[in-house]
Amino acid sequence: QVQLVESGGGLVQPGGSLRLSCAGSGSTWRFYVMGWYRQAPGNQRELVATITSGSTIDYADSVKGRFTISRDNAKNTVYLQMNSLKPEDTAVYYCYSRGTFGNAYWGQGTQVTVSS
């Protein structure tokens, strides 16, 4: 069983910053890809950013230049530094992992709200 434990969500003003963390427990092969997706009310879940164990990174166009994803392979932990936050970033953010053999896992989700 894989567990993905998220932290760092909350309420922030426009232009502010938040840092999300997600720590995975389990075998290393389960964390070939780690990243973040988000889902706002009425919308589909969309990719925010992913990073492989070899540090190959993919960002959604909407967050490029504002968000930074990183990971600590020794800890099976992925981070998302979110700067210059906009109200449009408001969503539930889900931690994601995919193993070498294709199995995917999701965190519980953490609410990020950007408003005055």
Side-chain angles (χ1 to χ4, degrees):
Q1 183 176 345
V2 174
Q3 289 185 314
L4 298 172
V5 181
E6 300 152 324
S7 63
L11 175 65
V12 66
Q13 292 183 318
S17 298
L18 285 173
R19 186 174 187 248
L20 305 182
S21 299
C22 174
S25 61
S27 300
T28 301
W29 65 264
R30 301 176 186 270
F31 306 103
Y32 170 61
V33 180
M34 299 188 74
W36 299 90
Y37 287 69
R38 68 186 182 187
Q39 188 167 20
N43 292 342
Q44 293 183 310
R45 188 173 298 184
E46 64 176 355
L47 176 136
V48 178
T50 59
I51 182 169
T52 70
S53 60
S55 297
T56 299
I57 294 173
D58 189 21
Y59 291 107
D61 289 341
S62 60
V63 307
K64 287 180 179 177
R66 300 188 298 121
F67 292 9
T68 302
I69 191 169
S70 61
R71 65 184 287 168
D72 184 335
N73 289 335
K75 299 179 180 179
N76 295 326
T77 299
V78 63
Y79 308 93
L80 186 68
Q81 178 67 45
M82 303 185 292
N83 298 325
S84 302
L85 282 162
K86 304 175 180 179
E88 307 93 271
D89 297 316
T90 296
V92 177
Y93 284 69
Y94 295 92
C95 184
Y96 165 85
S97 72
R98 180 169 61 83
T100 302
F101 304 108
N103 293 329
Y105 306 91
W106 295 93
Q108 183 71 27
T110 184
Q111 178 70 46
V112 172
T113 302
V114 185
S115 71
S116 299

